[in-house]
Amino acid sequence: MTQSLVQRLQAELDAMWLVDPHTHINPHSAPSQTLADILGYHYYTELAHAAGIPRERIEEPGLSPREKVGRIVPGLAAIENTVQYSWLREICRDFFGFQEDRITATNWERLYDQSLAVLSAPGWEREVLQRSRLSGVFLTNDFDDPLTGFDTAFYIPCLRTDDLVFRLWQPETRERFQKATAEEAWEVTSLRRGLAELFRHFLAHGARACAISLPPGFTPSPVADAVVEPLLGAVRHGRALSTAEQGVLSKFVFWCLAQECAQARLPFDLMIGVNRRVYPAGVYQGQDLFDSRCSLLQYGELFNAFPQVTFPISVLAHGLNQELVSYAWIFPNVVTSSHWWYSNIPAYIEPDLRARLQAVPQTKQIGYYSDMYKLEFAKPKFGMFRKVLAKVLAEDFVVGRGWSETQAVGLGRTILCDNTERIFPKR
Amino acid sequence: MTQSLVQRLQAELDAMWLVDPHTHINPHSAPSQTLADILGYHYYTELAHAAGIPRERIEEPGLSPREKVGRIVPGLAAIENTVQYSWLREICRDFFGFQEDRITATNWERLYDQSLAVLSAPGWEREVLQRSRLSGVFLTNDFDDPLTGFDTAFYIPCLRTDDLVFRLWQPETRERFQKATAEEAWEVTSLRRGLAELFRHFLAHGARACAISLPPGFTPSPVADAVVEPLLGAVRHGRALSTAEQGVLSKFVFWCLAQECAQARLPFDLMIGVNRRVYPAGVYQGQDLFDSRCSLLQYGELFNAFPQVTFPISVLAHGLNQELVSYAWIFPNVVTSSHWWYSNIPAYIEPDLRARLQAVPQTKQIGYYSDMYKLEFAKPKFGMFRKVLAKVLAEDFVVGRGWSETQAVGLGRTILCDNTERIFPKR
Amino acid sequence: MTQSLVQRLQAELDAMWLVDPHTHINPHSAPSQTLADILGYHYYTELAHAAGIPRERIEEPGLSPREKVGRIVPGLAAIENTVQYSWLREICRDFFGFQEDRITATNWERLYDQSLAVLSAPGWEREVLQRSRLSGVFLTNDFDDPLTGFDTAFYIPCLRTDDLVFRLWQPETRERFQKATAEEAWEVTSLRRGLAELFRHFLAHGARACAISLPPGFTPSPVADAVVEPLLGAVRHGRALSTAEQGVLSKFVFWCLAQECAQARLPFDLMIGVNRRVYPAGVYQGQDLFDSRCSLLQYGELFNAFPQVTFPISVLAHGLNQELVSYAWIFPNVVTSSHWWYSNIPAYIEPDLRARLQAVPQTKQIGYYSDMYKLEFAKPKFGMFRKVLAKVLAEDFVVGRGWSETQAVGLGRTILCDNTERIFPKR
């Protein structure tokens, strides 16, 4: 009976259209062109690599898409147990009509051809959006993205700021900054003017969020202009900043961004906890990890200083979920946001979601984002979340608390659909 | 079948009378006087505030109880999903006969009037205790509480020591200390005599525990008298202590309290992990949070130094539960104690309880305390715990290990009722 | 239906023969001789002690086995809820034919006699191996173990290196090292030659792993020979090393061991997170605990430096499991290994296993080892794991993902049996 209850709730959740509030979609090339775009998703390359396929085989320069797929396929047998593989299987079955359980040396070329026919058919982008019930897709845009040539009402710009905070001292970043803002940023005032210009540009193109990913050791705090001026001067004169000086500049730029968000009334997505390049010999995008020794206490000063800024928080470590729940439970401007990366498996989604639904106001929870690079992944990833959500709604609310199914579905809609519109309002 | 098994077990657990081993009840005014006492519980004010009600509206000076309720009600819709809201609903339904699912702008005044009739009826205190099956209630008494004017056999005094350990250098605390003990505490001997006097006073009035809440960074260790004398001298002469000096004095007083507990054979409740005033703009009692980066290793020296003192340990962070289980598993004087505050939701109670029942001697587990400020909360809060306990007993012991239901209920009684008497014995 | 599905899967898993990839078995005396060997397992002595039996009673010198059992039995009532007690009950019931639920003051002597008859019967070692379906048992051998006098094809040697890394400066360790290797190790070259000799010796006797347990604060890194020479010189001249110097020497020896493993193509089992002697007054082997504040980031440099060494990782803290999953998910040479000690209870095995099965390649998971000291414990400990494994396979794979039961059983066999052979290959 519970099982059929879960299925009924899931069917209701599956029927809902929604806006995906965080992706890495390239709006100029949103769907996959070949199966290589799908199997090239870092989840498959890194898992296949971890299971024994050398990086050099997977990433050999000049591989055709078909060759690349052929190189990854031998790594799939070892990862059939993973939930990431189940996304792949769902894509192959539901989109490409591939009915076999396994993708093997003997059948992958047939799959490749089938998928190619689907992916290259005219109207596939519209169709995959339709079948995934997506009514909007948030992007992750470099600060110097012109934001032109696509429908910004559907593909919604977000200002991604990692480069500004963590690489502003690099010549390449400075050059991009100068081009994008016409500011040299050799002094604080120029830097601030440039940042303001970026926000103007993004807001003019319908941006609905500013976003950044942060290492576990980062602790935001304000930095005085006078402390930063000599650092910018050093950069100007080509003197390399020490790690400590870089840290100071990072904090400064971060705080400026929060000030701009306050000014612009733009939510500031914080994705907390990633250590970059822990495994530098890993495949592309398969080199980053995390450190559980992190606390949202590091963000206490920030949350207090910017009560007018909404901070949707994603935590990489499952162990931080209780802090996130507790901070969102008392701070009006802290919002829980999805289940990120290494926490994006049902084993962690379920307990994390359960705690959020039990203790965070329902209006302050962004249920899920796909984080996808290609449109085909929205359906299986949201599907995974919807399934867990249906289970928790059934067990904790319908059975556990005597809610009607209608009420439970309503709560599901709130966190899956409505809150995205509420928390990232259109201008 | 499992569901009806759970219900049978829960019915048995619900029927048990028990002593609530930790509350903040004021024995001179134990039940709520109006609905404002119930909706004014920090869980509702902080959640409503987090959901958007300004603190100033909730805490405006001079509000009548009715007005105060009217200010909080608009915040309830957003928190209907929370387990804390389910306590409120249960109180309204079971105590006040309010049948509606939701408390809204249009029905709250009726609820207010209904509840007022119940709460102001003569004998309500006796009735709510009866219906909550409470046979005793532990208090949280300031060190200078006279402990008179109430039945200390039912409302059991506990010496709360946060002020002594963390605020002894403040003039107000010193004045209270001097009044309560007739000791100036300008020297270590006087301080020690004063502390001994407090224990005598509390023991004379039937106290059954000493208690304190501690920040995540606290690490108890002994401090030599000679180190403390100059600090007390500084306080005497009005010199402000540095943070480091305060820390030394805190450790010293804490260690003295443990010595007094050893002398008095009084259990020392440690509630580990709260950071005070992380969100200073929050509502009253809705400003504190925690930091997961904490370990019971910080208490190793204490547990070793005082084998004759029982330490019932509450941890604020779910992430510390495994350490707590493991420490209680090998240290005879470490006892697990309830599910505290941010860990007091089924999402964390269930896994934490499961681990304790699987690996800590059954005689060393205090199943639950309500932590309530008003009597009406014992029933829904213990009810929530009993429900989780019934589930774990059913799944892990009856189904999982083939125990009889009688055995399982017996284990439930041990941790819910018997251990409180065993661990905090009457004198 | 799910319940009977779980039972069917469990029956299949129960039927599988396997090699136990980590134990503390003494191959010269592998089964228990009396019930004292069983009740003397530290799980029972430490839990009974934690429940109130004084250490001095349990460990009084000169106790006969029967007396020792008589001393521990009074502590059993308090720990009947623990999963460790359920292992004991299973042993008593299944091996000794003892049908009573409880072991009490009035029946234990009968149990003692029954068990003695079984344990002293000729062929018991063969029988208990048969009934436990063990086709091989990994040992934990001191570095100076001669490795003779037993069948190393069945009782498989493993080089345990804690003494080398953490006690090399102690005279007793040096003496053993000198005897075992004919090297004085007064200089780095001699130390390295000695270590190489140990590996030669172990490999010659069929060793299939090198192993070590590590404290939570340990962070491996390479140390230059020139830094170590003066430390070895100091040891030679009887100067005590400071804690910091010991730490440097530990790191050096550890790194040398990793180099030897690379040379020998031997997996290096890392058991991460134990603090020794946190409770020095505890019973034998019941004094160690852990500190959750630990991260696999501490091992990043090691994993990168030795891509050719497989590191099966056990973590003591449940809170580290997500890091372990994530590291195994991208690092080819990181393998998840069993559920260790304080994490070896179903409350932690289930969520940890669930995450591993969802996100780590199936070929990189060592499902379980018993860690036993006496053969009788393999059956109940593996039985506990098989039960949890059956539940997770049923819920997540058969029901959750629509796998056939055959597929699910296959995944179970991979992590329970096949991977041990794959990851620790015979030479």
mmCIF file with all atom_site columns, all heavy atoms in Angstrom, chain A residues 3-17:
data_model
loop_
_atom_site.group_PDB
_atom_site.id
_atom_site.type_symbol
_atom_site.label_atom_id
_atom_site.label_alt_id
_atom_site.label_comp_id
_atom_site.label_asym_id
_atom_site.label_entity_id
_atom_site.label_seq_id
_atom_site.pdbx_PDB_ins_code
_atom_site.Cartn_x
_atom_site.Cartn_y
_atom_site.Cartn_z
_atom_site.occupancy
_atom_site.B_iso_or_equiv
_atom_site.pdbx_formal_charge
_atom_site.auth_seq_id
_atom_site.auth_comp_id
_atom_site.auth_asym_id
_atom_site.auth_atom_id
_atom_site.pdbx_PDB_model_num
ATOM 1   N N   . GLN A 1 3  ? 3.779  1.433  -1.138  1.00 0.00 ? 3  GLN A N   1
ATOM 2   C CA  . GLN A 1 3  ? 4.420  1.483  -2.444  1.00 0.00 ? 3  GLN A CA  1
ATOM 3   C C   . GLN A 1 3  ? 3.508  2.126  -3.486  1.00 0.00 ? 3  GLN A C   1
ATOM 4   O O   . GLN A 1 3  ? 3.952  2.939  -4.290  1.00 0.00 ? 3  GLN A O   1
ATOM 5   C CB  . GLN A 1 3  ? 4.851  0.059  -2.866  1.00 0.00 ? 3  GLN A CB  1
ATOM 6   C CG  . GLN A 1 3  ? 5.917  0.016  -3.950  1.00 0.00 ? 3  GLN A CG  1
ATOM 7   C CD  . GLN A 1 3  ? 7.155  0.851  -3.612  1.00 0.00 ? 3  GLN A CD  1
ATOM 8   O OE1 . GLN A 1 3  ? 7.502  1.024  -2.439  1.00 0.00 ? 3  GLN A OE1 1
ATOM 9   N NE2 . GLN A 1 3  ? 7.797  1.392  -4.635  1.00 0.00 ? 3  GLN A NE2 1
ATOM 10  N N   . SER A 1 4  ? 2.211  1.787  -3.454  1.00 0.00 ? 4  SER A N   1
ATOM 11  C CA  . SER A 1 4  ? 1.331  2.383  -4.450  1.00 0.00 ? 4  SER A CA  1
ATOM 12  C C   . SER A 1 4  ? 1.057  3.842  -4.103  1.00 0.00 ? 4  SER A C   1
ATOM 13  O O   . SER A 1 4  ? 0.864  4.672  -4.989  1.00 0.00 ? 4  SER A O   1
ATOM 14  C CB  . SER A 1 4  ? 0.041  1.571  -4.575  1.00 0.00 ? 4  SER A CB  1
ATOM 15  O OG  . SER A 1 4  ? -0.703 1.691  -3.388  1.00 0.00 ? 4  SER A OG  1
ATOM 16  N N   . LEU A 1 5  ? 1.033  4.156  -2.825  1.00 0.00 ? 5  LEU A N   1
ATOM 17  C CA  . LEU A 1 5  ? 0.923  5.554  -2.420  1.00 0.00 ? 5  LEU A CA  1
ATOM 18  C C   . LEU A 1 5  ? 2.107  6.359  -2.972  1.00 0.00 ? 5  LEU A C   1
ATOM 19  O O   . LEU A 1 5  ? 1.938  7.438  -3.554  1.00 0.00 ? 5  LEU A O   1
ATOM 20  C CB  . LEU A 1 5  ? 0.894  5.640  -0.887  1.00 0.00 ? 5  LEU A CB  1
ATOM 21  C CG  . LEU A 1 5  ? 1.111  7.021  -0.256  1.00 0.00 ? 5  LEU A CG  1
ATOM 22  C CD1 . LEU A 1 5  ? 0.015  7.994  -0.650  1.00 0.00 ? 5  LEU A CD1 1
ATOM 23  C CD2 . LEU A 1 5  ? 1.201  6.906  1.265   1.00 0.00 ? 5  LEU A CD2 1
ATOM 24  N N   . VAL A 1 6  ? 3.286  5.810  -2.806  1.00 0.00 ? 6  VAL A N   1
ATOM 25  C CA  . VAL A 1 6  ? 4.475  6.488  -3.332  1.00 0.00 ? 6  VAL A CA  1
ATOM 26  C C   . VAL A 1 6  ? 4.337  6.711  -4.836  1.00 0.00 ? 6  VAL A C   1
ATOM 27  O O   . VAL A 1 6  ? 4.624  7.788  -5.356  1.00 0.00 ? 6  VAL A O   1
ATOM 28  C CB  . VAL A 1 6  ? 5.751  5.680  -3.013  1.00 0.00 ? 6  VAL A CB  1
ATOM 29  C CG1 . VAL A 1 6  ? 6.960  6.280  -3.723  1.00 0.00 ? 6  VAL A CG1 1
ATOM 30  C CG2 . VAL A 1 6  ? 5.998  5.616  -1.510  1.00 0.00 ? 6  VAL A CG2 1
ATOM 31  N N   . GLN A 1 7  ? 3.864  5.682  -5.517  1.00 0.00 ? 7  GLN A N   1
ATOM 32  C CA  . GLN A 1 7  ? 3.731  5.811  -6.976  1.00 0.00 ? 7  GLN A CA  1
ATOM 33  C C   . GLN A 1 7  ? 2.707  6.870  -7.373  1.00 0.00 ? 7  GLN A C   1
ATOM 34  O O   . GLN A 1 7  ? 2.910  7.604  -8.335  1.00 0.00 ? 7  GLN A O   1
ATOM 35  C CB  . GLN A 1 7  ? 3.376  4.451  -7.594  1.00 0.00 ? 7  GLN A CB  1
ATOM 36  C CG  . GLN A 1 7  ? 4.609  3.538  -7.683  1.00 0.00 ? 7  GLN A CG  1
ATOM 37  C CD  . GLN A 1 7  ? 4.258  2.086  -7.851  1.00 0.00 ? 7  GLN A CD  1
ATOM 38  O OE1 . GLN A 1 7  ? 3.085  1.718  -7.919  1.00 0.00 ? 7  GLN A OE1 1
ATOM 39  N NE2 . GLN A 1 7  ? 5.275  1.231  -7.911  1.00 0.00 ? 7  GLN A NE2 1
ATOM 40  N N   . ARG A 1 8  ? 1.612  6.920  -6.617  1.00 0.00 ? 8  ARG A N   1
ATOM 41  C CA  . ARG A 1 8  ? 0.622  7.960  -6.935  1.00 0.00 ? 8  ARG A CA  1
ATOM 42  C C   . ARG A 1 8  ? 1.207  9.356  -6.744  1.00 0.00 ? 8  ARG A C   1
ATOM 43  O O   . ARG A 1 8  ? 1.029  10.238 -7.572  1.00 0.00 ? 8  ARG A O   1
ATOM 44  C CB  . ARG A 1 8  ? -0.620 7.805  -6.045  1.00 0.00 ? 8  ARG A CB  1
ATOM 45  C CG  . ARG A 1 8  ? -1.566 6.704  -6.486  1.00 0.00 ? 8  ARG A CG  1
ATOM 46  C CD  . ARG A 1 8  ? -2.943 6.836  -5.834  1.00 0.00 ? 8  ARG A CD  1
ATOM 47  N NE  . ARG A 1 8  ? -2.897 6.922  -4.385  1.00 0.00 ? 8  ARG A NE  1
ATOM 48  C CZ  . ARG A 1 8  ? -2.811 5.876  -3.554  1.00 0.00 ? 8  ARG A CZ  1
ATOM 49  N NH1 . ARG A 1 8  ? -2.737 4.648  -4.032  1.00 0.00 ? 8  ARG A NH1 1
ATOM 50  N NH2 . ARG A 1 8  ? -2.797 6.048  -2.263  1.00 0.00 ? 8  ARG A NH2 1
ATOM 51  N N   . LEU A 1 9  ? 1.914  9.530  -5.632  1.00 0.00 ? 9  LEU A N   1
ATOM 52  C CA  . LEU A 1 9  ? 2.521  10.848 -5.395  1.00 0.00 ? 9  LEU A CA  1
ATOM 53  C C   . LEU A 1 9  ? 3.554  11.166 -6.465  1.00 0.00 ? 9  LEU A C   1
ATOM 54  O O   . LEU A 1 9  ? 3.625  12.281 -6.981  1.00 0.00 ? 9  LEU A O   1
ATOM 55  C CB  . LEU A 1 9  ? 3.178  10.883 -4.007  1.00 0.00 ? 9  LEU A CB  1
ATOM 56  C CG  . LEU A 1 9  ? 2.246  10.747 -2.804  1.00 0.00 ? 9  LEU A CG  1
ATOM 57  C CD1 . LEU A 1 9  ? 3.056  10.757 -1.512  1.00 0.00 ? 9  LEU A CD1 1
ATOM 58  C CD2 . LEU A 1 9  ? 1.207  11.864 -2.772  1.00 0.00 ? 9  LEU A CD2 1
ATOM 59  N N   . GLN A 1 10 ? 4.334  10.142 -6.819  1.00 0.00 ? 10 GLN A N   1
ATOM 60  C CA  . GLN A 1 10 ? 5.361  10.378 -7.828  1.00 0.00 ? 10 GLN A CA  1
ATOM 61  C C   . GLN A 1 10 ? 4.738  10.765 -9.163  1.00 0.00 ? 10 GLN A C   1
ATOM 62  O O   . GLN A 1 10 ? 5.255  11.638 -9.871  1.00 0.00 ? 10 GLN A O   1
ATOM 63  C CB  . GLN A 1 10 ? 6.232  9.133  -7.971  1.00 0.00 ? 10 GLN A CB  1
ATOM 64  C CG  . GLN A 1 10 ? 7.531  9.434  -8.686  1.00 0.00 ? 10 GLN A CG  1
ATOM 65  C CD  . GLN A 1 10 ? 8.408  8.216  -8.856  1.00 0.00 ? 10 GLN A CD  1
ATOM 66  O OE1 . GLN A 1 10 ? 8.280  7.250  -8.094  1.00 0.00 ? 10 GLN A OE1 1
ATOM 67  N NE2 . GLN A 1 10 ? 9.281  8.247  -9.854  1.00 0.00 ? 10 GLN A NE2 1
ATOM 68  N N   . ALA A 1 11 ? 3.642  10.137 -9.503  1.00 0.00 ? 11 ALA A N   1
ATOM 69  C CA  . ALA A 1 11 ? 2.978  10.473 -10.765 1.00 0.00 ? 11 ALA A CA  1
ATOM 70  C C   . ALA A 1 11 ? 2.549  11.948 -10.759 1.00 0.00 ? 11 ALA A C   1
ATOM 71  O O   . ALA A 1 11 ? 2.691  12.657 -11.760 1.00 0.00 ? 11 ALA A O   1
ATOM 72  C CB  . ALA A 1 11 ? 1.774  9.560  -10.991 1.00 0.00 ? 11 ALA A CB  1
ATOM 73  N N   . GLU A 1 12 ? 2.055  12.406 -9.624  1.00 0.00 ? 12 GLU A N   1
ATOM 74  C CA  . GLU A 1 12 ? 1.658  13.818 -9.524  1.00 0.00 ? 12 GLU A CA  1
ATOM 75  C C   . GLU A 1 12 ? 2.882  14.735 -9.670  1.00 0.00 ? 12 GLU A C   1
ATOM 76  O O   . GLU A 1 12 ? 2.848  15.751 -10.348 1.00 0.00 ? 12 GLU A O   1
ATOM 77  C CB  . GLU A 1 12 ? 1.001  14.100 -8.158  1.00 0.00 ? 12 GLU A CB  1
ATOM 78  C CG  . GLU A 1 12 ? -0.298 13.358 -7.920  1.00 0.00 ? 12 GLU A CG  1
ATOM 79  C CD  . GLU A 1 12 ? -1.490 14.080 -8.542  1.00 0.00 ? 12 GLU A CD  1
ATOM 80  O OE1 . GLU A 1 12 ? -1.312 15.234 -8.991  1.00 0.00 ? 12 GLU A OE1 1
ATOM 81  O OE2 . GLU A 1 12 ? -2.578 13.483 -8.577  1.00 0.00 ? 12 GLU A OE2 1
ATOM 82  N N   . LEU A 1 13 ? 3.945  14.348 -8.995  1.00 0.00 ? 13 LEU A N   1
ATOM 83  C CA  . LEU A 1 13 ? 5.161  15.173 -9.073  1.00 0.00 ? 13 LEU A CA  1
ATOM 84  C C   . LEU A 1 13 ? 5.750  15.156 -10.479 1.00 0.00 ? 13 LEU A C   1
ATOM 85  O O   . LEU A 1 13 ? 6.228  16.170 -10.984 1.00 0.00 ? 13 LEU A O   1
ATOM 86  C CB  . LEU A 1 13 ? 6.207  14.677 -8.065  1.00 0.00 ? 13 LEU A CB  1
ATOM 87  C CG  . LEU A 1 13 ? 5.814  14.737 -6.579  1.00 0.00 ? 13 LEU A CG  1
ATOM 88  C CD1 . LEU A 1 13 ? 6.856  14.026 -5.720  1.00 0.00 ? 13 LEU A CD1 1
ATOM 89  C CD2 . LEU A 1 13 ? 5.632  16.179 -6.113  1.00 0.00 ? 13 LEU A CD2 1
ATOM 90  N N   . ASP A 1 14 ? 5.697  13.995 -11.113 1.00 0.00 ? 14 ASP A N   1
ATOM 91  C CA  . ASP A 1 14 ? 6.231  13.870 -12.471 1.00 0.00 ? 14 ASP A CA  1
ATOM 92  C C   . ASP A 1 14 ? 5.506  14.773 -13.455 1.00 0.00 ? 14 ASP A C   1
ATOM 93  O O   . ASP A 1 14 ? 6.079  15.203 -14.451 1.00 0.00 ? 14 ASP A O   1
ATOM 94  C CB  . ASP A 1 14 ? 6.119  12.409 -12.949 1.00 0.00 ? 14 ASP A CB  1
ATOM 95  C CG  . ASP A 1 14 ? 7.200  11.518 -12.347 1.00 0.00 ? 14 ASP A CG  1
ATOM 96  O OD1 . ASP A 1 14 ? 8.149  12.054 -11.752 1.00 0.00 ? 14 ASP A OD1 1
ATOM 97  O OD2 . ASP A 1 14 ? 7.080  10.285 -12.471 1.00 0.00 ? 14 ASP A OD2 1
ATOM 98  N N   . ALA A 1 15 ? 4.248  15.031 -13.172 1.00 0.00 ? 15 ALA A N   1
ATOM 99  C CA  . ALA A 1 15 ? 3.441  15.820 -14.114 1.00 0.00 ? 15 ALA A CA  1
ATOM 100 C C   . ALA A 1 15 ? 3.721  17.321 -14.026 1.00 0.00 ? 15 ALA A C   1
ATOM 101 O O   . ALA A 1 15 ? 3.275  18.090 -14.865 1.00 0.00 ? 15 ALA A O   1
ATOM 102 C CB  . ALA A 1 15 ? 1.957  15.555 -13.854 1.00 0.00 ? 15 ALA A CB  1
ATOM 103 N N   . MET A 1 16 ? 4.458  17.731 -13.002 1.00 0.00 ? 16 MET A N   1
ATOM 104 C CA  . MET A 1 16 ? 4.651  19.171 -12.789 1.00 0.00 ? 16 MET A CA  1
ATOM 105 C C   . MET A 1 16 ? 5.713  19.757 -13.717 1.00 0.00 ? 16 MET A C   1
ATOM 106 O O   . MET A 1 16 ? 6.798  19.224 -13.836 1.00 0.00 ? 16 MET A O   1
ATOM 107 C CB  . MET A 1 16 ? 5.089  19.426 -11.338 1.00 0.00 ? 16 MET A CB  1
ATOM 108 C CG  . MET A 1 16 ? 4.020  19.104 -10.326 1.00 0.00 ? 16 MET A CG  1
ATOM 109 S SD  . MET A 1 16 ? 4.650  19.287 -8.623  1.00 0.00 ? 16 MET A SD  1
ATOM 110 C CE  . MET A 1 16 ? 3.262  18.541 -7.723  1.00 0.00 ? 16 MET A CE  1
ATOM 111 N N   . TRP A 1 17 ? 5.398  20.883 -14.305 1.00 0.00 ? 17 TRP A N   1
ATOM 112 C CA  . TRP A 1 17 ? 6.379  21.659 -15.061 1.00 0.00 ? 17 TRP A CA  1
ATOM 113 C C   . TRP A 1 17 ? 7.175  22.523 -14.113 1.00 0.00 ? 17 TRP A C   1
ATOM 114 O O   . TRP A 1 17 ? 6.649  23.011 -13.115 1.00 0.00 ? 17 TRP A O   1
ATOM 115 C CB  . TRP A 1 17 ? 5.652  22.540 -16.078 1.00 0.00 ? 17 TRP A CB  1
ATOM 116 C CG  . TRP A 1 17 ? 5.162  21.766 -17.253 1.00 0.00 ? 17 TRP A CG  1
ATOM 117 C CD1 . TRP A 1 17 ? 4.096  20.911 -17.282 1.00 0.00 ? 17 TRP A CD1 1
ATOM 118 C CD2 . TRP A 1 17 ? 5.741  21.749 -18.556 1.00 0.00 ? 17 TRP A CD2 1
ATOM 119 N NE1 . TRP A 1 17 ? 3.962  20.357 -18.529 1.00 0.00 ? 17 TRP A NE1 1
ATOM 120 C CE2 . TRP A 1 17 ? 4.959  20.861 -19.340 1.00 0.00 ? 17 TRP A CE2 1
ATOM 121 C CE3 . TRP A 1 17 ? 6.821  22.386 -19.149 1.00 0.00 ? 17 TRP A CE3 1
ATOM 122 C CZ2 . TRP A 1 17 ? 5.245  20.604 -20.673 1.00 0.00 ? 17 TRP A CZ2 1
ATOM 123 C CZ3 . TRP A 1 17 ? 7.099  22.141 -20.486 1.00 0.00 ? 17 TRP A CZ3 1
ATOM 124 C CH2 . TRP A 1 17 ? 6.318  21.245 -21.240 1.00 0.00 ? 17 TRP A CH2 1
#
